[in-house]
Amino acid sequence: MALLDGLNTGDRAPSPTVRSISAGDITVTRTFSDRFDLEVAPEMPVSDAFNVIVEMRDFEAHRLWRRGELVFEGGDAKASIAITDLRDQWRCHHLSPFDNVRFEIPFTSMRAFAEGTGRGEYVSLSPVRGRADPVMFGLAQALLPSLDEPEHANRLFIEQINLAALAHLSQTYGGLHFPTDKKGTLAPWQEKLATEFLVASFNVPFSIGDLAARCQLSRSYFNKAFKESFGCTPSKWLTEYRVARVKECLSQDVSLAEIAISCGFADQSHMTRVFTSHTGETPARFRRRNRSSGIAVDRSAQ
């Protein structure tokens, strides 16, 4: 476990205090300052990871840039979180006192966690900003003593906090479902076979009956057991997977018609209907909003 503790100071301008700890490939950083006159922070390094930023106090004002474009100006409440994709270039200017804890989690860690819990299906965290999250706030609070004295931090404790964070994030923002009662669910080998089959067949026609037979179950029992295991029917799981794939494709310079076919929809209009029913906006609007803002506000928090 790497333990890092640094106080950023400079002769020309004040800098925030930064303290970090890391366990495995997840790094947790606390950054705080009581100043109103901080300079614009350096650009964050681009990496194949995402940040989960937890506000430990009310944060009145800051500006946020994505790829050099101003995408947010305002504040965030205590115990709210923001999830940002670090494959983009980000830069922030803190305009008021603040205190946050940031979990930097590689995408490989989230996928490995899903696979380790028997949920090897596609995982994509929804980008959110300003959503109150008491669970992440509590986990961040639990790490404050370790961040204050990193040289005395307990490796096992930090790893367990990070594991709890992965479980919460994957369920709350990644769409994974972990049944509390295993009765009536698919066996682990059936779950693995079913999700691998659905992922491999997401853009080609197939029969649920054939999938049930592969799992050595009747179609009706398979549907019930699948829903107990994953919290939704196979068809809904597949639709949500396709919508998640569309979201990823919309960040690329690919036409909507091409995306529709590659993600298993009959045509662009079919994709638009399904995508809109699940997200509340058309693919074109989703693409414009994310290119202009970089952060999607979770409407369930409003």
Side-chain angles (χ1 to χ4, degrees):
M1 173 178 62
L3 300 177
L4 311 171
D5 186 9
L7 177 63
N8 290 342
T9 59
D11 296 330
R12 295 184 304 169
S15 298
T17 300
V18 180
R19 294 173 180 163
S20 296
I21 53 177
S22 62
D25 53 3
I26 297 176
T27 300
V28 183
T29 302
R30 183 185 184 189
T31 310
F32 58 95
S33 173
D34 289 325
R35 307 291 295 247
F36 286 87
D37 55 348
L38 297 176
E39 289 190 332
V40 179
E43 290 184 341
M44 296 192 66
V46 174
S47 63
D48 191 28
F50 59 91
N51 261 348
V52 180
I53 304 168
V54 186
E55 300 299 339
M56 307 308 293
R57 63 181 289 183
D58 287 336
F59 186 15
E60 293 182 3
H62 70 290
R63 295 190 182 103
L64 187 65
W65 289 266
R66 176 180 180 246
R67 301 178 188 173
E69 180 182 356
L70 182 65
V71 295
F72 180 81
E73 184 168 8
D76 292 308
K78 178 180 178 179
S80 66
I81 72 164
I83 300 177
T84 56
D85 189 332
L86 294 180
R87 291 173 295 188
D88 280 324
Q89 183 71 70
W90 298 93
R91 195 171 192 181
C92 183
H93 189 189
H94 302 88
L95 299 169
S96 67
F98 71 98
D99 185 355
N100 65 49
V101 172
R102 182 175 70 249
F103 294 76
E104 184 173 330
I105 306 173
F107 285 99
T108 53
S109 293
M110 181 60 77
R111 293 190 182 277
F113 171 79
E115 292 172 358
T117 56
R119 291 295 186 272
E121 63 266 28
Y122 178 81
V123 178
S124 177
L125 291 185
S126 299
V128 300
R129 162 158 233 100
R131 171 169 174 167
D133 191 322
V135 173
M136 288 304 301
F137 181 69
L139 293 176
Q141 281 185 312
L143 286 175
L144 292 182
S146 298
L147 287 162
D148 287 339
E149 298 184 89
E151 67 277 8
H152 300 304
N154 182 290
R155 177 191 180 96
L156 180 60
F157 176 74
I158 296 171
E159 289 178 343
Q160 291 303 308
I161 293 293
N162 288 342
L163 185 63
L166 287 173
H168 172 68
L169 293 168
S170 64
Q171 292 187 84
T172 308
Y173 308 104
L176 293 187
H177 172 72
F178 301 104
T180 56
D181 183 359
K182 283 290 184 179
K183 185 178 180 180
T185 61
L186 296 173
W189 72 269
Q190 292 169 323
E191 292 180 352
K192 184 174 185 294
L193 187 154
T195 54
E196 288 180 349
F197 180 89
L198 289 171
V199 168
S201 309
F202 83 99
N203 59 354
V204 295
F206 68 91
S207 166
I208 293 294
D210 290 341
L211 176 54
R214 288 170 180 257
C215 292
Q216 301 176 18
L217 298 171
S218 68
R219 176 168 180 157
S220 61
Y221 186 87
F222 172 78
N223 279 327
K224 292 178 182 178
F226 189 99
K227 186 173 183 179
E228 286 296 321
S229 293
F230 295 99
C232 61
T233 63
S235 59
K236 184 178 180 183
W237 188 99
L238 186 60
T239 298
E240 291 176 350
Y241 178 84
R242 285 170 171 161
V243 169
R245 290 293 295 263
V246 171
K247 288 181 179 180
E248 275 209 340
C249 292
L250 289 172
S251 66
Q252 306 166 10
D253 292 325
V254 182
S255 72
L256 295 180
E258 290 177 293
I259 293 174
I261 298 303
S262 68
C263 291
F265 295 96
D267 50 34
Q268 182 177 332
S269 62
H270 178 212
M271 177 186 73
T272 298
R273 288 195 304 272
V274 173
F275 190 92
T276 303
S277 69
H278 278 73
T279 68
E281 60 186 343
T282 65
R285 186 170 183 271
F286 180 90
R287 169 178 272 174
R288 288 194 301 270
R289 178 170 58 78
N290 281 272
R291 283 183 172 177
S292 63
S293 69
I295 300 175
V297 177
D298 189 340
R299 293 180 175 83
S300 65
Q302 297 179 343

